[in-house]
Amino acid sequence: MSDTASRNPNGAAQMLADALLRTVAGAEATLKVTGSNPGTDQSQLGLVATTFAEVVVSPVVLRRLKPDWNEGGQSKWELLVSATGVQQAVDVFDVDSAKSLFAMTMAVTVAGQDYLIESIAANEAVGSVYLYRLLLREAGGEAV
Amino acid sequence: MGMQNAKDSFYVALRGRLAAINPERTVLLRAVVRPGIVVEEAEAPFAQLPPDVFVLRWLGLGYDPDLPSALVAEEAEIVYSTLGTQSFGGLDRGRALTEMDRELVAMLTPLQTPKLNYTATPAAAMLTNVFWDEPVFGSVVALRDRLTRSVRVVVYSYEESGE
């Protein structure tokens, strides 16, 4: 059964999420977004470096997930990102959605460390996203 | 010991053949739509293999210097997976995988292609061909609604001067 209660979106959830993120850390993350790719043989063979554009999103909070003890395994991290910050980045790159933006993101940099995106989840209230949760893995310097 | 030109030529040959066999099989990667085959080591790491796309990765390496020209062999693994189509609710995933099997066999035929040097622009033809064995198909791995198959091919190339 659908929820027919009348609740107009007023941005309260977004403002609350932003306030909480700023309160607990208020850090910023840099998304390395792939630029225009010439689509040549060389670019598909690793002969030409793809171009990046960087965009800063904030506020964000990075937290380490419960470590597991697999030999050689890498730590996993969760990045909590403000939806309003992501929307600004979406507008900068003129892409149709946050999903497209994250699909084009090759790495996320927080405090000088690069991370790769493993998966993305979004928290919604009253039909609009107020927080993105990115599951990240540490990248070696050569990975990006 | 140089195998890079052979690896590049193998990929570009398969990509060109795929575009002719099934032009509809494409992938949007780094803001470009291209035939649905990618070299894993030349792209950003995948959190999960993209469905309905052939992913080429390179594994073992062999070298036989006891010939007039040294023979280099490298094992290629081509991995592909599918979830079927949304309009069928994924119930056609077996048929989709069979279609990819067929396309892969067609891509690998004939079992050779000219070797080119792609560090030059335009790519420069070399003196020998790259050639490969018949593919060895692995069993289908079913993980929930995703069917995945791995196919292995040994690719050979004679080493030329400068490689």
Side-chain angles (χ1 to χ4, degrees):
Chain A
M1 189 171 69
S2 61
D3 182 0
T4 56
S6 58
R7 289 175 295 181
N8 295 325
N10 53 14
Q14 285 82 358
M15 287 189 280
L16 179 59
D18 288 0
L20 286 171
L21 290 172
R22 287 197 189 95
T23 302
V24 294
E28 61 183 30
T30 303
L31 306 183
K32 287 185 176 175
V33 181
T34 182
S36 59
N37 172 17
T40 59
D41 290 340
Q42 279 86 355
S43 72
Q44 296 177 20
L45 294 169
L47 281 165
V48 178
T50 189
T51 56
F52 294 107
E54 296 189 345
V55 62
V56 175
V57 292
S58 69
V60 304
V61 170
L62 183 66
R63 68 189 188 102
R64 189 172 186 168
L65 299 180
K66 183 181 176 184
D68 49 21
W69 297 100
N70 294 334
E71 187 70 29
Q74 291 175 298
S75 300
K76 290 203 172 178
W77 302 77
E78 186 178 48
L79 186 70
L80 308 177
V81 190
S82 153
T84 52
V86 171
Q87 187 56 47
Q88 288 169 7
V90 168
D91 294 340
V92 166
F93 285 98
D94 196 22
V95 290
D96 60 354
S97 66
K99 186 179 177 184
S100 300
L101 177 71
F102 290 131
M104 293 165 60
T105 300
M106 302 191 78
V108 181
T109 307
V110 182
Q113 171 67 48
D114 285 338
Y115 301 87
L116 302 176
I117 298 174
E118 292 276 296
S119 67
I120 299 157
N123 287 11
E124 295 184 20
V126 202
S128 58
V129 178
Y130 61 89
L131 184 74
Y132 289 97
R133 291 181 291 123
L134 277 56
L135 182 64
L136 303 179
R137 173 167 59 83
E138 287 177 26
E142 71 282 1
V144 292
Chain B
M1 181 174 62
M3 189 70 189
Q4 191 61 56
N5 290 325
K7 290 164 63 178
D8 294 347
S9 302
F10 180 72
Y11 161 70
V12 175
L14 265 56
R15 188 194 62 185
R17 291 174 187 179
L18 176 61
I21 295 162
N22 183 2
E24 302 295 315
R25 188 172 301 287
T26 56
V27 59
L28 175 62
L29 209 57
R30 288 185 281 142
V32 171
V33 177
R34 47 196 253 203
I37 179 169
V38 299
V39 181
E40 187 179 51
E41 64 192 20
E43 302 296 342
F46 300 117
Q48 190 174 39
L49 287 180
D52 303 309
V53 171
F54 296 98
V55 177
L56 172 62
R57 59 170 67 126
W58 293 97
L59 305 175
L61 182 64
Y63 184 66
D64 184 357
D66 298 327
L67 293 168
S69 292
L71 182 66
V72 186
E74 189 150 10
E75 187 178 29
E77 182 184 29
I78 302 165
V79 185
Y80 48 98
S81 63
T82 183
L83 295 85
T85 57
Q86 207 168 18
S87 58
F88 277 69
L91 302 184
D92 58 342
R93 58 189 183 276
R95 304 185 75 85
L97 192 75
T98 303
E99 172 61 18
M100 295 188 81
D101 294 339
R102 185 192 69 79
E103 289 175 15
L104 183 64
V105 171
M107 283 157 58
L108 291 169
T109 309
L111 307 178
Q112 62 176 13
T113 190
K115 184 159 63 169
L116 285 84
N117 178 359
Y118 286 93
T119 58
T121 307
M126 301 184 77
L127 300 175
T128 57
N129 282 347
V130 179
F131 51 100
W132 51 89
D133 285 339
E134 288 84 3
V136 178
F137 286 80
S139 300
V140 174
V141 176
L143 183 61
R144 296 190 176 86
D145 56 345
R146 177 183 286 259
L147 298 181
T148 304
R149 194 195 297 281
S150 164
V151 178
R152 296 197 177 202
V153 183
V154 180
V155 180
Y156 302 93
S157 168
Y158 287 108
E159 198 171 48
E160 299 186 27
S161 62
E163 281 196 292

